Amino acid sequence: MADFTIEAGETALVVMDKKTKREDMVEECVRKGTELVQAIAVSLFNLPSTEDIDGPLVKLPPPTMKLPREKHLPKPKPPTKWELFAKAKGIKKQKKDKVVWDEQTSTWKRRYGYDRVNDDEDIPIIEAKMTDEPGEDPFSKRKAEKKKRVKKQEKNRLQNLKQAAKAGALPSHIQLAATALPITGTQAAPKKVAKDELGNVAGLAATATASGGKFDKKLPGEKPVKKQGKHRKFLPVVESSGMGRQEKEQTDKVLSKIISQNSHEILNIDKAVSKYTVKKEKNRKNQQWKSSTPQAS
């Protein structure tokens, strides 16, 4: 594949010919790939194997080179309160079916989640108890108790995350998000805001009204907001104020400028002359036809 070489000391630079075809390079790559695959197949068949129903099974040798990990090994998570309680009481986790028979609706429903079994929404009548207070709405009480349970569960979840963060065992996909939460117990140093930034924020807040802060009440000692940028001014069209004439003159000036720049596009002289000639010839023919036609007495 190389046409000539350039020697410099002990090194030799192989210069490829610019006219080397892409097909030759692809053919060489395929040949090299075939040799490598054949070498792998020969090495596999030389290893000791055992016969199986599906074919021979080969036990691969242990790796000779260990690659370093990109990240450190994850630390084990600290046990939660429930896991500690279950371990102390000897409670073992049992696998439950996801679908359960619901006696109220006589259908199969999910154990947890939306439209679950024994859902509170499926109970139209709540039986009163001796401990219930008179005049208390049982449905409102049930909703309040559910909110308390959800709030307690969320509190426990955040507490578990806080313990895992202290032990450095948070999952990598929530480690970044957890650093901004109060559960980690670390707070970032407050950023010092410059005087100009406070002025800009105050100006934006003061002008964030329909009138741009013109009719808002001013605080004692508050300075007027600086106008940022340029504002377009439109001249009124009222003649009595004396500004209508100025508006008209400005419009005429712009119109005359446009006409002067595009006068060659606005008026086509050749087309106008041809139309005039055709119209004149048509009038002449009409006059001749009227004069040649005898008038009835």
Short mmCIF file of all heavy atoms in Angstrom, two decimals, residues 191-234:
data_model
loop_
_atom_site.label_atom_id
_atom_site.label_comp_id
_atom_site.label_asym_id
_atom_site.label_seq_id
_atom_site.Cartn_x
_atom_site.Cartn_y
_atom_site.Cartn_z
N LYS A 191 -24.83 34.25 48.97
CA LYS A 191 -24.12 35.07 48.00
C LYS A 191 -24.36 36.55 48.29
O LYS A 191 -25.49 36.98 48.53
CB LYS A 191 -24.61 34.74 46.59
CG LYS A 191 -23.91 35.51 45.50
CD LYS A 191 -24.49 35.17 44.15
CE LYS A 191 -23.85 36.00 43.06
NZ LYS A 191 -24.45 35.71 41.73
N LYS A 192 -23.29 37.32 48.29
CA LYS A 192 -23.40 38.75 48.52
C LYS A 192 -23.93 39.44 47.27
O LYS A 192 -23.40 39.25 46.18
CB LYS A 192 -22.03 39.33 48.90
CG LYS A 192 -21.51 38.83 50.25
CD LYS A 192 -20.20 39.50 50.60
CE LYS A 192 -19.70 39.03 51.97
NZ LYS A 192 -18.41 39.67 52.32
N VAL A 193 -24.98 40.19 47.44
CA VAL A 193 -25.61 40.89 46.32
C VAL A 193 -25.10 42.32 46.29
O VAL A 193 -25.10 43.02 47.32
CB VAL A 193 -27.15 40.86 46.46
CG1 VAL A 193 -27.79 41.52 45.25
CG2 VAL A 193 -27.65 39.43 46.62
N ALA A 194 -24.67 42.73 45.13
CA ALA A 194 -24.13 44.09 44.99
C ALA A 194 -25.27 45.11 45.02
O ALA A 194 -26.45 44.79 44.85
CB ALA A 194 -23.34 44.21 43.70
N LYS A 195 -24.88 46.37 45.20
CA LYS A 195 -25.86 47.45 45.27
C LYS A 195 -26.54 47.65 43.92
O LYS A 195 -27.76 47.91 43.85
CB LYS A 195 -25.17 48.73 45.72
CG LYS A 195 -26.11 49.90 45.90
CD LYS A 195 -25.35 51.12 46.40
CE LYS A 195 -26.30 52.32 46.57
NZ LYS A 195 -25.58 53.52 47.04
N ASP A 196 -25.78 47.52 42.84
CA ASP A 196 -26.38 47.68 41.51
C ASP A 196 -27.40 46.59 41.22
O ASP A 196 -28.44 46.85 40.60
CB ASP A 196 -25.27 47.68 40.46
CG ASP A 196 -24.32 48.86 40.62
OD1 ASP A 196 -24.75 49.87 41.24
OD2 ASP A 196 -23.18 48.79 40.14
N GLU A 197 -27.10 45.36 41.63
CA GLU A 197 -28.04 44.28 41.39
C GLU A 197 -29.34 44.50 42.15
O GLU A 197 -30.44 44.26 41.63
CB GLU A 197 -27.41 42.95 41.81
CG GLU A 197 -26.21 42.55 40.95
CD GLU A 197 -25.64 41.22 41.38
OE1 GLU A 197 -26.20 40.61 42.32
OE2 GLU A 197 -24.63 40.80 40.78
N LEU A 198 -29.22 44.98 43.40
CA LEU A 198 -30.44 45.28 44.16
C LEU A 198 -31.23 46.40 43.51
O LEU A 198 -32.47 46.37 43.46
CB LEU A 198 -30.07 45.68 45.59
CG LEU A 198 -29.57 44.57 46.51
CD1 LEU A 198 -29.15 45.15 47.86
CD2 LEU A 198 -30.64 43.52 46.70
N GLY A 199 -30.52 47.40 42.98
CA GLY A 199 -31.23 48.49 42.29
C GLY A 199 -31.94 48.01 41.04
O GLY A 199 -33.06 48.44 40.75
N ASN A 200 -31.30 47.11 40.29
CA ASN A 200 -31.94 46.58 39.08
C ASN A 200 -33.18 45.77 39.42
O ASN A 200 -34.22 45.88 38.76
CB ASN A 200 -30.94 45.73 38.31
CG ASN A 200 -29.78 46.54 37.76
OD1 ASN A 200 -29.90 47.75 37.56
ND2 ASN A 200 -28.65 45.89 37.54
N VAL A 201 -33.07 44.94 40.47
CA VAL A 201 -34.22 44.12 40.87
C VAL A 201 -35.36 45.01 41.35
O VAL A 201 -36.53 44.79 41.02
CB VAL A 201 -33.80 43.11 41.94
CG1 VAL A 201 -35.02 42.37 42.49
CG2 VAL A 201 -32.80 42.14 41.39
N ALA A 202 -35.03 46.04 42.14
CA ALA A 202 -36.07 46.95 42.63
C ALA A 202 -36.71 47.72 41.48
O ALA A 202 -37.93 47.95 41.47
CB ALA A 202 -35.46 47.93 43.64
N GLY A 203 -35.91 48.11 40.48
CA GLY A 203 -36.47 48.80 39.32
C GLY A 203 -37.39 47.93 38.51
O GLY A 203 -38.46 48.36 38.06
N LEU A 204 -37.03 46.65 38.34
CA LEU A 204 -37.89 45.73 37.61
C LEU A 204 -39.20 45.49 38.35
O LEU A 204 -40.27 45.42 37.75
CB LEU A 204 -37.17 44.40 37.39
CG LEU A 204 -35.99 44.42 36.42
CD1 LEU A 204 -35.29 43.07 36.40
CD2 LEU A 204 -36.45 44.77 35.01
N ALA A 205 -39.12 45.38 39.68
CA ALA A 205 -40.33 45.16 40.46
C ALA A 205 -41.23 46.39 40.46
O ALA A 205 -42.47 46.28 40.45
CB ALA A 205 -39.95 44.79 41.90
N ALA A 206 -40.62 47.59 40.44
CA ALA A 206 -41.42 48.81 40.48
C ALA A 206 -42.11 49.08 39.15
O ALA A 206 -43.19 49.69 39.12
CB ALA A 206 -40.53 50.00 40.86
N THR A 207 -41.51 48.66 38.06
CA THR A 207 -42.09 48.92 36.73
C THR A 207 -42.89 47.74 36.20
O THR A 207 -43.30 47.76 35.05
CB THR A 207 -40.97 49.26 35.74
OG1 THR A 207 -40.01 48.17 35.73
CG2 THR A 207 -40.27 50.53 36.14
N ALA A 208 -43.11 46.72 37.01
CA ALA A 208 -43.84 45.54 36.55
C ALA A 208 -45.34 45.73 36.73
O ALA A 208 -46.03 44.88 37.28
CB ALA A 208 -43.35 44.30 37.30
N THR A 209 -45.85 46.84 36.31
CA THR A 209 -47.28 47.12 36.37
C THR A 209 -47.74 47.62 35.00
O THR A 209 -46.94 47.87 34.10
CB THR A 209 -47.59 48.18 37.44
OG1 THR A 209 -46.81 49.36 37.17
CG2 THR A 209 -47.22 47.66 38.82
N ALA A 210 -49.04 47.79 34.86
CA ALA A 210 -49.59 48.24 33.58
C ALA A 210 -49.14 49.65 33.24
O ALA A 210 -48.93 49.99 32.07
CB ALA A 210 -51.11 48.16 33.60
N SER A 211 -49.00 50.49 34.26
CA SER A 211 -48.57 51.87 34.03
C SER A 211 -47.07 52.05 34.09
O SER A 211 -46.58 53.19 34.02
CB SER A 211 -49.23 52.79 35.06
OG SER A 211 -48.81 52.43 36.37
N GLY A 212 -46.33 50.95 34.26
CA GLY A 212 -44.89 51.05 34.36
C GLY A 212 -44.43 51.73 35.63
O GLY A 212 -43.36 52.34 35.66
N GLY A 213 -45.22 51.63 36.70
CA GLY A 213 -44.86 52.24 37.97
C GLY A 213 -45.14 53.72 38.08
O GLY A 213 -44.72 54.36 39.04
N LYS A 214 -45.88 54.27 37.11
CA LYS A 214 -46.11 55.72 37.10
C LYS A 214 -47.09 56.13 38.19
O LYS A 214 -46.92 57.18 38.84
CB LYS A 214 -46.63 56.14 35.73
CG LYS A 214 -46.84 57.64 35.59
CD LYS A 214 -47.29 57.98 34.18
CE LYS A 214 -47.52 59.48 34.02
NZ LYS A 214 -47.98 59.82 32.65
N PHE A 215 -48.13 55.32 38.42
CA PHE A 215 -49.16 55.67 39.39
C PHE A 215 -49.04 54.88 40.69
O PHE A 215 -49.97 54.87 41.49
CB PHE A 215 -50.55 55.45 38.78
CG PHE A 215 -50.77 56.23 37.52
CD1 PHE A 215 -50.71 55.62 36.28
CD2 PHE A 215 -51.02 57.59 37.57
CE1 PHE A 215 -50.91 56.33 35.12
CE2 PHE A 215 -51.23 58.31 36.41
CZ PHE A 215 -51.16 57.69 35.18
N ASP A 216 -47.93 54.20 40.91
CA ASP A 216 -47.74 53.45 42.14
C ASP A 216 -47.32 54.38 43.27
O ASP A 216 -46.69 55.42 43.05
CB ASP A 216 -46.68 52.36 41.95
CG ASP A 216 -47.14 51.33 40.93
OD1 ASP A 216 -48.34 51.30 40.63
OD2 ASP A 216 -46.28 50.57 40.44
N LYS A 217 -47.65 53.97 44.48
CA LYS A 217 -47.28 54.77 45.64
C LYS A 217 -45.79 54.63 45.91
O LYS A 217 -45.24 53.52 45.85
CB LYS A 217 -48.08 54.33 46.86
CG LYS A 217 -49.57 54.62 46.75
CD LYS A 217 -50.29 54.20 48.02
CE LYS A 217 -51.79 54.51 47.91
NZ LYS A 217 -52.50 54.10 49.15
N LYS A 218 -45.15 55.73 46.20
CA LYS A 218 -43.72 55.74 46.47
C LYS A 218 -43.47 55.66 47.97
O LYS A 218 -44.18 56.27 48.77
CB LYS A 218 -43.07 57.01 45.91
CG LYS A 218 -43.29 57.21 44.41
CD LYS A 218 -42.61 56.13 43.60
CE LYS A 218 -42.80 56.39 42.11
NZ LYS A 218 -42.21 55.32 41.28
N LEU A 219 -42.45 54.93 48.33
CA LEU A 219 -42.06 54.85 49.73
C LEU A 219 -41.28 56.10 50.11
O LEU A 219 -40.68 56.76 49.25
CB LEU A 219 -41.19 53.61 49.96
CG LEU A 219 -41.88 52.27 49.72
CD1 LEU A 219 -40.88 51.13 49.87
CD2 LEU A 219 -43.06 52.08 50.65
N PRO A 220 -41.25 56.46 51.38
CA PRO A 220 -40.48 57.64 51.78
C PRO A 220 -38.98 57.44 51.53
O PRO A 220 -38.40 56.45 51.97
CB PRO A 220 -40.79 57.77 53.29
CG PRO A 220 -41.30 56.43 53.70
CD PRO A 220 -41.98 55.86 52.52
N GLY A 221 -38.41 58.37 50.79
CA GLY A 221 -36.99 58.28 50.46
C GLY A 221 -36.70 57.46 49.22
O GLY A 221 -35.52 57.28 48.87
N GLU A 222 -37.73 56.95 48.53
CA GLU A 222 -37.50 56.14 47.33
C GLU A 222 -37.21 57.04 46.14
O GLU A 222 -37.92 58.01 45.88
CB GLU A 222 -38.74 55.28 47.04
CG GLU A 222 -38.56 54.35 45.85
CD GLU A 222 -39.79 53.51 45.60
OE1 GLU A 222 -40.77 53.66 46.38
OE2 GLU A 222 -39.78 52.72 44.65
N LYS A 223 -36.16 56.71 45.42
CA LYS A 223 -35.76 57.49 44.26
C LYS A 223 -36.55 57.04 43.04
O LYS A 223 -36.97 55.89 42.93
CB LYS A 223 -34.27 57.32 44.00
CG LYS A 223 -33.40 57.85 45.13
CD LYS A 223 -31.93 57.68 44.80
CE LYS A 223 -31.04 58.21 45.93
NZ LYS A 223 -29.61 58.04 45.62
N PRO A 224 -36.75 57.96 42.09
CA PRO A 224 -37.46 57.56 40.87
C PRO A 224 -36.66 56.53 40.08
O PRO A 224 -35.43 56.56 40.06
CB PRO A 224 -37.60 58.88 40.09
CG PRO A 224 -36.54 59.76 40.64
CD PRO A 224 -36.37 59.38 42.08
N VAL A 225 -37.39 55.62 39.43
CA VAL A 225 -36.75 54.54 38.70
C VAL A 225 -36.13 55.10 37.42
O VAL A 225 -36.75 55.88 36.70
CB VAL A 225 -37.77 53.44 38.36
CG1 VAL A 225 -37.10 52.29 37.63
CG2 VAL A 225 -38.44 52.94 39.64
N LYS A 226 -34.89 54.67 37.17
CA LYS A 226 -34.23 55.09 35.94
C LYS A 226 -34.81 54.33 34.75
O LYS A 226 -34.98 53.12 34.80
CB LYS A 226 -32.73 54.82 36.05
CG LYS A 226 -32.04 55.62 37.13
CD LYS A 226 -30.55 55.31 37.15
CE LYS A 226 -29.84 56.11 38.24
NZ LYS A 226 -28.39 55.79 38.27
N LYS A 227 -35.10 55.08 33.71
CA LYS A 227 -35.64 54.46 32.50
C LYS A 227 -34.50 53.79 31.74
O LYS A 227 -33.48 54.40 31.46
CB LYS A 227 -36.33 55.50 31.63
CG LYS A 227 -37.57 56.11 32.27
CD LYS A 227 -38.25 57.07 31.32
CE LYS A 227 -39.51 57.65 31.95
NZ LYS A 227 -40.19 58.60 31.04
N GLN A 228 -34.72 52.52 31.45
CA GLN A 228 -33.70 51.76 30.73
C GLN A 228 -34.10 51.63 29.28
O GLN A 228 -35.23 51.26 28.96
CB GLN A 228 -33.54 50.38 31.35
CG GLN A 228 -33.10 50.42 32.80
CD GLN A 228 -33.00 49.03 33.39
OE1 GLN A 228 -33.33 48.06 32.73
NE2 GLN A 228 -32.53 48.95 34.62
N GLY A 229 -33.17 51.95 28.39
CA GLY A 229 -33.44 51.83 26.96
C GLY A 229 -34.18 53.03 26.41
O GLY A 229 -34.51 54.00 27.11
N LYS A 230 -34.46 52.99 25.13
CA LYS A 230 -35.16 54.06 24.44
C LYS A 230 -36.62 53.68 24.26
O LYS A 230 -36.95 52.52 24.05
CB LYS A 230 -34.51 54.34 23.08
CG LYS A 230 -33.06 54.83 23.18
CD LYS A 230 -32.50 55.12 21.81
CE LYS A 230 -31.07 55.62 21.91
NZ LYS A 230 -30.48 55.88 20.56
N HIS A 231 -37.48 54.66 24.34
CA HIS A 231 -38.91 54.45 24.17
C HIS A 231 -39.36 55.15 22.89
O HIS A 231 -38.97 56.29 22.60
CB HIS A 231 -39.70 55.01 25.37
CG HIS A 231 -39.34 54.35 26.67
ND1 HIS A 231 -39.92 53.17 27.10
CD2 HIS A 231 -38.45 54.69 27.62
CE1 HIS A 231 -39.41 52.83 28.27
NE2 HIS A 231 -38.50 53.74 28.61
N ARG A 232 -40.17 54.49 22.11
CA ARG A 232 -40.68 55.06 20.86
C ARG A 232 -41.72 56.14 21.16
O ARG A 232 -42.54 55.98 22.07
CB ARG A 232 -41.29 53.97 19.99
CG ARG A 232 -40.28 52.93 19.53
CD ARG A 232 -40.94 51.88 18.68
NE ARG A 232 -41.51 52.47 17.48
CZ ARG A 232 -42.25 51.80 16.60
NH1 ARG A 232 -42.54 50.53 16.81
NH2 ARG A 232 -42.72 52.40 15.54
N LYS A 233 -41.67 57.20 20.42
CA LYS A 233 -42.62 58.30 20.58
C LYS A 233 -43.44 58.43 19.31
O LYS A 233 -42.89 58.45 18.20
CB LYS A 233 -41.88 59.62 20.86
CG LYS A 233 -41.14 59.62 22.20
CD LYS A 233 -40.48 60.97 22.44
CE LYS A 233 -39.76 61.00 23.77
NZ LYS A 233 -39.11 62.30 24.04
N PHE A 234 -44.76 58.51 19.45
CA PHE A 234 -45.66 58.63 18.33
C PHE A 234 -46.33 60.01 18.39
O PHE A 234 -46.83 60.42 19.46
CB PHE A 234 -46.73 57.53 18.36
CG PHE A 234 -46.14 56.15 18.25
CD1 PHE A 234 -45.86 55.42 19.40
CD2 PHE A 234 -45.87 55.58 17.03
CE1 PHE A 234 -45.32 54.17 19.32
CE2 PHE A 234 -45.34 54.31 16.94
CZ PHE A 234 -45.06 53.60 18.08
#
